[in-house]
Amino acid sequence: MESSHPSHPTPSSRRAASSSSTAGRTYADALEKLALLRSNRAVTHLFDRPAAPAGSGRGDDDLNAAAIPEMLGWLRRAGYSPQDLCRMRHIHVAGTKGKGSVCAYATAMLTRYHRSSEDGGARVGTYMSPHLVSPRERIAIDGQPLPQDIFASAVFEVWDRLSEAARRDGVSAAEADGPASKPFYFRFLTILAWHVFLSRGVRDVVIECGIGGEYDATNVLPAEAVSAAVVAQLGIDHVAMLGDTVEKIAWHKAGVFKRGRRAFTRRLNGQPGIMGVLRARAEEKGAELVEVRDEDVEMWGGVEGPLRGGFQKYNQALAVMAVREHLGLCADDSALLRDTPEVILEGLGEARLRGRGEIVDDEDVRWYLDGAHNRDSIEGVATWLAREVEAGESLILVFNQQDRDVSELLVDLIHAMEARLGRRDVFGHALFSTNEIKRADDGEQAEDVSVQEKAASTMRSACPDCEVYTIDNVDDAVAEARAIAKAKGGRQKVLVTGSMHLVGGVLRVLEPESLL
């Protein structure tokens, strides 16, 4: 899911981290340029306005309808046409949940396949969102974020092209060089990704929708540029933009279906409304919808890897089928999983995502980070962590969840750990933090910690012997966890979970310079 771009380091700290040496064109300068762009949150908030009065001439549907023509205009201003995008072949991924995992799996499989074949020089581009620590995470080649110098150069190349287009349209020099002549953040990064891939000869691309599909910035891709589409798990999200039912949201997600191309999704036998929408949209678009059956996935079983959770085998299955379609390794649909080449399965087991099943060693602490934020993913975290816990060992928990019921998710974690380890005292200390990185300055309003207090109360009831803290910023939460670990002695284990925003904040505190 696309969200507003996270806060960046201060200009002074960014300059210290820069690796580009051209005066005024450093990596730090590139980050400053990006920070000037309208955030995606500001754009999505346009849909939160009260309904327009009858006869006003303003309909919120117009905001969606204008999206693709606007994006095509920005693409042309940057010097590209939709036909230029046909020089690449894209696996286009939409969905409410699981998009990132499908993209990570597809990237790993394609990268491993090319490295083991005669075209070992072929490269795989990936465009995903949002990022946890650095915007460079969004644009990767062969699974690696762009280096700072390449990212910075690309930002200024696209920025200059858009500025020049504005000057040709008669815009004053000052306005043309500024953010007013640029698209909002997600659109700019989308164009930036294509610019990088085309400039560097990338031909295989895995691309994730930001929000929806039909009107998403990535959906200017013509059918000739798409090898396969995927609609991952669906749910309620971005109601103002996409609708208030899963069926309405499914309509938007299926917008990535393309004429003459295959689209892969999980067959939901218990949700005929969703499947009816997806099938109707496939017929409307002239696409072939391939419905992956749960029994086939269960029989196949998936591949164990760093991205944990029993649900991941469904994301793996969608990725495998899309990659086989992309590579032309076709077979009968029922055999696509069963007869998958070994080299592709090896890649599947190598897929990684920052903040998902990630371990970071730091001084007296081994940090276990996973942005699990629903019951299924929390179950996966518990299975992963239970393998790491020694008999009688006590862990430190850092937890938050701002968008869902924090107490319900916390109880899910406690019960899941108890089911696997046979005891409820796994966490000796629990720190409930907001997602804000820094403590509020003097004179600023302190962060609301009512959610954290609710979680703390739940923890005291469920685990009376656990020492509980509420903290209003991530920086202090990390410092407190380190202090507790030091006092206990030895290498202590800390689980950070419940929210991708929290995990991203902790990573930024732990690695202030490494992924700017």
Side-chain angles (χ1 to χ4, degrees):
M1 179 185 71
E2 174 58 17
S3 62
S4 61
H5 47 90
S7 57
H8 297 300
T10 62
S12 59
S13 67
R14 282 192 247 121
R15 291 189 186 283
S18 174
S19 66
S20 179
S21 59
T22 304
R25 296 261 162 152
T26 66
Y27 176 68
D29 295 318
L31 291 186
E32 289 180 351
K33 288 291 189 186
L34 294 178
L36 296 174
L37 299 174
R38 282 182 301 160
S39 72
N40 308 302
R41 190 177 301 278
V43 175
T44 58
H45 279 176
L46 293 174
F47 288 82
D48 296 335
R49 302 172 302 180
S56 68
R58 193 213 89 203
D60 284 346
D61 285 345
D62 295 340
L63 293 172
N64 270 331
I68 295 298
E70 288 176 359
M71 183 61 184
L72 287 169
W74 290 117
L75 191 65
R76 285 192 296 270
R77 291 183 184 95
Y80 295 109
S81 70
Q83 285 310 113
D84 289 316
L85 304 182
C86 295
R87 289 153 52 190
M88 303 175 287
R89 298 174 69 249
H90 300 72
I91 295 176
H92 201 180
V93 183
T96 306
K97 301 175 184 176
K99 290 183 299 179
S101 295
V102 171
C103 288
Y105 286 128
T107 297
M109 285 186 283
L110 288 173
T111 301
R112 183 62 180 261
Y113 179 84
H114 286 313
R115 284 177 176 167
S116 66
S117 63
E118 293 180 358
D119 64 344
R123 310 182 78 186
V124 179
T126 310
Y127 177 58
M128 298 170 60
S129 61
H131 61 267
L132 287 182
V133 180
S134 164
R136 295 189 296 112
E137 297 168 32
R138 297 181 181 230
I139 305 172
I141 295 180
D142 292 340
Q144 298 300 312
L146 291 182
Q148 289 184 356
D149 56 345
I150 293 175
F151 184 89
S153 295
V155 167
F156 283 106
E157 287 162 6
V158 173
W159 193 279
D160 290 345
R161 290 184 180 203
L162 295 170
S163 296
E164 178 58 31
R167 283 192 289 271
R168 288 197 303 266
D169 291 341
V171 176
S172 68
E175 185 175 351
D177 289 338
S181 66
K182 312 298 183 295
F184 69 83
Y185 191 85
F186 182 72
R187 289 178 178 176
F188 188 97
L189 267 291
T190 303
I191 294 171
L192 183 71
W194 282 324
H195 173 70
V196 168
F197 298 152
L198 288 168
S199 300
R200 305 188 76 79
V202 171
R203 293 294 175 263
D204 296 297
V205 177
V206 179
I207 189 165
E208 177 187 5
C209 285
I211 296 175
E214 178 72 24
Y215 303 113
D216 187 71
T218 63
N219 208 32
V220 296
L221 286 167
E224 296 80 2
V226 176
S227 60
V230 173
V231 172
Q233 185 176 345
L234 295 169
I236 300 292
D237 205 1
H238 295 289
V239 168
M241 295 181 70
L242 307 181
D244 56 0
T245 68
V246 182
E247 288 77 12
K248 291 178 181 177
I249 290 170
W251 184 93
H252 282 272
K253 306 293 185 181
V256 299
F257 294 172
K258 294 291 189 292
R259 182 166 299 279
R261 297 295 182 264
R262 304 185 96 196
F264 301 91
T265 196
R266 181 180 177 185
R267 179 180 293 175
L268 303 173
N269 292 322
Q271 300 186 59
I274 293 175
M275 297 311 301
V277 170
L278 295 178
R279 290 163 186 159
R281 289 286 273 160
E283 183 176 358
E284 170 196 342
K285 296 276 189 178
E288 179 186 350
L289 183 63
V290 178
E291 302 172 18
V292 183
R293 303 187 308 167
D294 282 2
E295 51 265 42
D296 291 334
V297 177
E298 295 293 339
M299 185 179 301
W300 172 60
V303 173
E304 186 73 22
L307 301 182
R308 307 182 199 289
F311 60 91
Q312 287 289 12
K313 59 178 171 285
Y314 300 104
N315 293 326
Q316 290 182 350
L318 294 174
V320 166
M321 298 185 85
V323 165
R324 293 196 64 162
E325 180 72 15
H326 180 89
L327 294 173
L329 302 176
C330 299
D332 179 80
D333 286 345
S334 63
L336 280 175
L337 296 175
R338 189 171 62 252
D339 299 334
T340 300
E342 185 63 29
V343 66
I344 290 183
L345 294 178
E346 290 172 357
L348 194 63
E350 295 169 355
R352 297 178 182 276
L353 277 174
R354 286 236 76 181
R356 309 280 178 86
E358 184 170 3
I359 299 175
V360 176
D361 287 320
D362 167 60
E363 298 178 0
D364 301 315
V365 177
R366 169 162 284 188
W367 300 87
Y368 292 81
L369 302 113
D370 195 296
H373 51 274
N374 58 46
R375 176 172 292 175
D376 286 343
S377 53
I378 280 290
E379 290 279 347
V381 167
T383 300
W384 167 49
L385 195 64
R387 297 170 182 165
E388 301 285 327
V389 179
E390 298 176 9
E393 186 177 15
S394 175
L395 277 61
I396 302 167
L397 174 66
V398 181
F399 192 92
N400 190 37
Q401 175 47 244
Q402 294 287 147
D403 299 323
R404 297 172 174 83
D405 188 322
V406 67
S407 293
E408 181 178 339
L409 191 64
L410 178 60
V411 168
D412 287 341
L413 175 63
I414 294 168
H415 288 169
M417 293 301 299
E418 183 178 15
R420 286 157 180 79
L421 294 174
R423 59 190 178 95
R424 187 167 281 201
D425 61 346
V426 177
F427 301 110
H429 298 78
L431 287 64
F432 299 102
S433 171
T434 69
N435 295 329
E436 292 300 313
I437 303 295
K438 299 288 186 182
R439 182 187 306 141
D441 293 333
D442 292 341
E444 292 183 347
Q445 184 174 353
E447 287 298 314
D448 179 6
V449 293
S450 56
V451 169
Q452 289 68 43
E453 293 289 359
K454 179 180 179 182
S457 177
T458 299
M459 192 71 176
R460 291 187 186 100
S461 297
C463 305
D465 294 330
C466 180
E467 294 188 33
V468 176
Y469 308 76
T470 58
I471 301 175
D472 67 0
N473 68 92
V474 174
D475 213 352
D476 286 350
V478 170
E480 186 64 37
R482 283 172 168 162
I484 294 169
K486 187 172 184 178
K488 292 178 68 175
R491 173 61 61 85
Q492 298 298 315
K493 296 170 183 172
V494 178
L495 172 65
V496 182
T497 193
S499 163
M500 287 301 293
H501 294 290
L502 175 66
V503 167
V506 169
L507 282 170
R508 288 197 290 274
V509 174
L510 296 179
E511 304 174 356
E513 303 296 333
S514 65
L515 261 182
L516 293 176

